[in-house]
mmCIF file of all heavy atoms in Angstrom:
data_model
loop_
_atom_site.group_PDB
_atom_site.id
_atom_site.type_symbol
_atom_site.label_atom_id
_atom_site.label_comp_id
_atom_site.label_asym_id
_atom_site.label_seq_id
_atom_site.Cartn_x
_atom_site.Cartn_y
_atom_site.Cartn_z
ATOM 1 N N MET A 1 21.193 -4.717 22.762
ATOM 2 C CA MET A 1 21.550 -3.556 21.919
ATOM 3 C C MET A 1 23.055 -3.501 21.706
ATOM 4 O O MET A 1 23.818 -3.608 22.646
ATOM 5 C CB MET A 1 21.036 -2.272 22.565
ATOM 6 C CG MET A 1 21.254 -1.086 21.678
ATOM 7 S SD MET A 1 20.074 0.255 21.785
ATOM 8 C CE MET A 1 18.502 -0.437 22.050
ATOM 9 N N ASN A 2 23.459 -3.307 20.475
ATOM 10 C CA ASN A 2 24.881 -3.338 20.157
ATOM 11 C C ASN A 2 25.511 -1.965 20.388
ATOM 12 O O ASN A 2 25.017 -0.956 19.887
ATOM 13 C CB ASN A 2 25.067 -3.754 18.702
ATOM 14 C CG ASN A 2 26.508 -4.109 18.409
ATOM 15 O OD1 ASN A 2 27.412 -3.314 18.656
ATOM 16 N ND2 ASN A 2 26.711 -5.297 17.893
ATOM 17 N N ARG A 3 26.626 -1.959 21.132
ATOM 18 C CA ARG A 3 27.265 -0.678 21.476
ATOM 19 C C ARG A 3 27.860 -0.008 20.249
ATOM 20 O O ARG A 3 28.229 1.157 20.272
ATOM 21 C CB ARG A 3 28.320 -0.882 22.564
ATOM 22 C CG ARG A 3 29.525 -1.658 22.089
ATOM 23 C CD ARG A 3 30.534 -1.975 23.157
ATOM 24 N NE ARG A 3 31.566 -2.817 22.569
ATOM 25 C CZ ARG A 3 32.645 -2.347 21.923
ATOM 26 N NH1 ARG A 3 32.834 -1.049 21.820
ATOM 27 N NH2 ARG A 3 33.511 -3.178 21.379
ATOM 28 N N LEU A 4 28.008 -0.764 19.163
ATOM 29 C CA LEU A 4 28.605 -0.191 17.952
ATOM 30 C C LEU A 4 27.576 0.444 17.011
ATOM 31 O O LEU A 4 27.928 0.996 15.982
ATOM 32 C CB LEU A 4 29.388 -1.280 17.196
ATOM 33 C CG LEU A 4 30.530 -1.912 18.011
ATOM 34 C CD1 LEU A 4 31.159 -3.060 17.244
ATOM 35 C CD2 LEU A 4 31.579 -0.851 18.361
ATOM 36 N N TRP A 5 26.292 0.344 17.368
ATOM 37 C CA TRP A 5 25.263 0.900 16.488
ATOM 38 C C TRP A 5 25.226 2.425 16.545
ATOM 39 O O TRP A 5 25.501 3.025 17.590
ATOM 40 C CB TRP A 5 23.878 0.389 16.879
ATOM 41 C CG TRP A 5 23.647 -1.061 16.583
ATOM 42 C CD1 TRP A 5 24.445 -1.891 15.866
ATOM 43 C CD2 TRP A 5 22.530 -1.836 17.016
ATOM 44 N NE1 TRP A 5 23.886 -3.148 15.823
ATOM 45 C CE2 TRP A 5 22.722 -3.136 16.510
ATOM 46 C CE3 TRP A 5 21.392 -1.561 17.783
ATOM 47 C CZ2 TRP A 5 21.793 -4.157 16.754
ATOM 48 C CZ3 TRP A 5 20.479 -2.568 18.003
ATOM 49 C CH2 TRP A 5 20.688 -3.863 17.497
ATOM 50 N N SER A 6 24.812 3.028 15.429
ATOM 51 C CA SER A 6 24.559 4.471 15.396
ATOM 52 C C SER A 6 23.269 4.782 16.159
ATOM 53 O O SER A 6 22.479 3.877 16.457
ATOM 54 C CB SER A 6 24.383 4.941 13.949
ATOM 55 O OG SER A 6 23.182 4.398 13.417
ATOM 56 N N ASP A 7 23.037 6.061 16.430
ATOM 57 C CA ASP A 7 21.774 6.467 17.053
ATOM 58 C C ASP A 7 20.595 6.023 16.189
ATOM 59 O O ASP A 7 19.565 5.598 16.693
ATOM 60 C CB ASP A 7 21.719 7.996 17.225
ATOM 61 C CG ASP A 7 22.576 8.441 18.397
ATOM 62 O OD1 ASP A 7 22.970 7.569 19.210
ATOM 63 O OD2 ASP A 7 22.860 9.658 18.497
ATOM 64 N N MET A 8 20.776 6.137 14.881
ATOM 65 C CA MET A 8 19.689 5.786 13.971
ATOM 66 C C MET A 8 19.338 4.296 14.095
ATOM 67 O O MET A 8 18.174 3.928 14.193
ATOM 68 C CB MET A 8 20.115 6.108 12.535
ATOM 69 C CG MET A 8 18.995 6.085 11.534
ATOM 70 S SD MET A 8 19.666 6.335 9.874
ATOM 71 C CE MET A 8 18.484 7.493 9.219
ATOM 72 N N ALA A 9 20.363 3.462 14.110
ATOM 73 C CA ALA A 9 20.113 2.021 14.230
ATOM 74 C C ALA A 9 19.506 1.689 15.588
ATOM 75 O O ALA A 9 18.689 0.768 15.711
ATOM 76 C CB ALA A 9 21.413 1.243 14.034
ATOM 77 N N ARG A 10 19.859 2.453 16.621
ATOM 78 C CA ARG A 10 19.303 2.213 17.950
ATOM 79 C C ARG A 10 17.850 2.593 18.039
ATOM 80 O O ARG A 10 17.045 1.899 18.644
ATOM 81 C CB ARG A 10 20.052 3.048 19.004
ATOM 82 C CG ARG A 10 21.348 2.468 19.459
ATOM 83 C CD ARG A 10 22.090 3.517 20.294
ATOM 84 N NE ARG A 10 23.521 3.250 20.236
ATOM 85 C CZ ARG A 10 24.138 2.399 21.058
ATOM 86 N NH1 ARG A 10 23.463 1.793 22.005
ATOM 87 N NH2 ARG A 10 25.422 2.180 20.915
ATOM 88 N N ARG A 11 17.499 3.760 17.460
ATOM 89 C CA ARG A 11 16.143 4.254 17.705
ATOM 90 C C ARG A 11 15.113 3.615 16.777
ATOM 91 O O ARG A 11 13.929 3.648 17.052
ATOM 92 C CB ARG A 11 16.081 5.777 17.580
ATOM 93 C CG ARG A 11 16.183 6.290 16.163
ATOM 94 C CD ARG A 11 15.876 7.789 16.063
ATOM 95 N NE ARG A 11 16.166 8.254 14.720
ATOM 96 C CZ ARG A 11 17.266 8.893 14.355
ATOM 97 N NH1 ARG A 11 18.197 9.186 15.243
ATOM 98 N NH2 ARG A 11 17.449 9.247 13.106
ATOM 99 N N THR A 12 15.554 2.994 15.686
ATOM 100 C CA THR A 12 14.566 2.477 14.740
ATOM 101 C C THR A 12 13.833 1.260 15.301
ATOM 102 O O THR A 12 14.387 0.472 16.080
ATOM 103 C CB THR A 12 15.220 2.138 13.382
ATOM 104 O OG1 THR A 12 14.187 1.928 12.426
ATOM 105 C CG2 THR A 12 16.104 0.907 13.455
ATOM 106 N N GLU A 13 12.552 1.163 14.964
ATOM 107 C CA GLU A 13 11.755 -0.022 15.314
ATOM 108 C C GLU A 13 11.245 -0.601 14.012
ATOM 109 O O GLU A 13 10.215 -0.194 13.505
ATOM 110 C CB GLU A 13 10.567 0.361 16.213
ATOM 111 C CG GLU A 13 10.967 0.757 17.619
ATOM 112 C CD GLU A 13 9.784 1.343 18.395
ATOM 113 O OE1 GLU A 13 8.640 0.889 18.176
ATOM 114 O OE2 GLU A 13 10.012 2.267 19.181
ATOM 115 N N PRO A 14 11.992 -1.552 13.416
ATOM 116 C CA PRO A 14 11.699 -1.989 12.046
ATOM 117 C C PRO A 14 10.270 -2.491 11.848
ATOM 118 O O PRO A 14 9.669 -3.070 12.748
ATOM 119 C CB PRO A 14 12.706 -3.123 11.814
ATOM 120 C CG PRO A 14 13.807 -2.864 12.786
ATOM 121 C CD PRO A 14 13.154 -2.243 13.980
ATOM 122 N N TYR A 15 9.764 -2.242 10.656
ATOM 123 C CA TYR A 15 8.456 -2.729 10.219
ATOM 124 C C TYR A 15 8.507 -4.253 10.094
ATOM 125 O O TYR A 15 9.514 -4.817 9.668
ATOM 126 C CB TYR A 15 8.144 -2.099 8.863
ATOM 127 C CG TYR A 15 6.877 -2.579 8.195
ATOM 128 C CD1 TYR A 15 5.629 -2.092 8.597
ATOM 129 C CD2 TYR A 15 6.920 -3.502 7.145
ATOM 130 C CE1 TYR A 15 4.472 -2.511 7.972
ATOM 131 C CE2 TYR A 15 5.749 -3.928 6.517
ATOM 132 C CZ TYR A 15 4.533 -3.431 6.938
ATOM 133 O OH TYR A 15 3.392 -3.854 6.309
ATOM 134 N N VAL A 115 7.244 3.992 11.558
ATOM 135 C CA VAL A 115 8.619 3.471 11.439
ATOM 136 C C VAL A 115 9.516 4.513 10.749
ATOM 137 O O VAL A 115 10.601 4.845 11.247
ATOM 138 C CB VAL A 115 8.639 2.135 10.655
ATOM 139 C CG1 VAL A 115 10.070 1.670 10.416
ATOM 140 C CG2 VAL A 115 7.844 1.064 11.398
ATOM 141 N N TYR A 116 9.052 5.049 9.614
ATOM 142 C CA TYR A 116 9.848 6.078 8.926
ATOM 143 C C TYR A 116 10.012 7.319 9.797
ATOM 144 O O TYR A 116 11.070 7.950 9.803
ATOM 145 C CB TYR A 116 9.194 6.475 7.599
ATOM 146 C CG TYR A 116 9.241 5.405 6.532
ATOM 147 C CD1 TYR A 116 8.126 5.139 5.749
ATOM 148 C CD2 TYR A 116 10.404 4.666 6.299
ATOM 149 C CE1 TYR A 116 8.159 4.160 4.764
ATOM 150 C CE2 TYR A 116 10.442 3.691 5.324
ATOM 151 C CZ TYR A 116 9.317 3.440 4.549
ATOM 152 O OH TYR A 116 9.349 2.476 3.590
ATOM 153 N N SER A 117 8.941 7.693 10.502
ATOM 154 C CA SER A 117 9.026 8.887 11.348
ATOM 155 C C SER A 117 10.146 8.736 12.365
ATOM 156 O O SER A 117 10.960 9.642 12.546
ATOM 157 C CB SER A 117 7.696 9.132 12.074
ATOM 158 O OG SER A 117 6.665 9.335 11.141
ATOM 159 N N LYS A 118 10.197 7.571 13.020
ATOM 160 C CA LYS A 118 11.234 7.359 14.033
ATOM 161 C C LYS A 118 12.612 7.291 13.381
ATOM 162 O O LYS A 118 13.577 7.882 13.872
ATOM 163 C CB LYS A 118 10.951 6.081 14.818
ATOM 164 C CG LYS A 118 9.848 6.297 15.850
ATOM 165 C CD LYS A 118 9.427 5.025 16.547
ATOM 166 C CE LYS A 118 8.074 5.251 17.242
ATOM 167 N NZ LYS A 118 7.348 4.003 17.475
ATOM 168 N N LEU A 119 12.698 6.582 12.260
ATOM 169 C CA LEU A 119 13.985 6.432 11.577
ATOM 170 C C LEU A 119 14.572 7.800 11.221
ATOM 171 O O LEU A 119 15.751 8.056 11.448
ATOM 172 C CB LEU A 119 13.793 5.587 10.309
ATOM 173 C CG LEU A 119 15.041 5.308 9.476
ATOM 174 C CD1 LEU A 119 16.007 4.411 10.238
ATOM 175 C CD2 LEU A 119 14.659 4.640 8.147
ATOM 176 N N PHE A 120 13.731 8.684 10.660
ATOM 177 C CA PHE A 120 14.229 9.989 10.194
ATOM 178 C C PHE A 120 14.054 11.090 11.240
ATOM 179 O O PHE A 120 14.245 12.257 10.937
ATOM 180 C CB PHE A 120 13.539 10.371 8.888
ATOM 181 C CG PHE A 120 13.757 9.366 7.785
ATOM 182 C CD1 PHE A 120 12.687 8.829 7.085
ATOM 183 C CD2 PHE A 120 15.046 8.939 7.461
ATOM 184 C CE1 PHE A 120 12.889 7.889 6.074
ATOM 185 C CE2 PHE A 120 15.248 8.005 6.454
ATOM 186 C CZ PHE A 120 14.172 7.481 5.758
ATOM 187 N N ASP A 121 13.643 10.673 12.465
ATOM 188 C CA ASP A 121 13.561 11.608 13.579
ATOM 189 C C ASP A 121 12.525 12.711 13.333
ATOM 190 O O ASP A 121 12.770 13.878 13.648
ATOM 191 C CB ASP A 121 14.954 12.242 13.809
ATOM 192 C CG ASP A 121 15.237 12.408 15.290
ATOM 193 O OD1 ASP A 121 14.393 11.998 16.090
ATOM 194 O OD2 ASP A 121 16.307 12.958 15.627
#
Side-chain angles (χ1 to χ4, degrees):
M1 186 149 324
N2 193 305
R3 69 185 175 86
L4 300 175
W5 290 351
S6 68
D7 283 346
M8 193 185 224
R10 279 170 206 274
R11 73 170 172 260
T12 193
E13 289 171 34
Y15 175 79
V115 175
Y116 290 137
S117 299
K118 283 174 196 157
L119 181 67
F120 301 128
D121 219 2

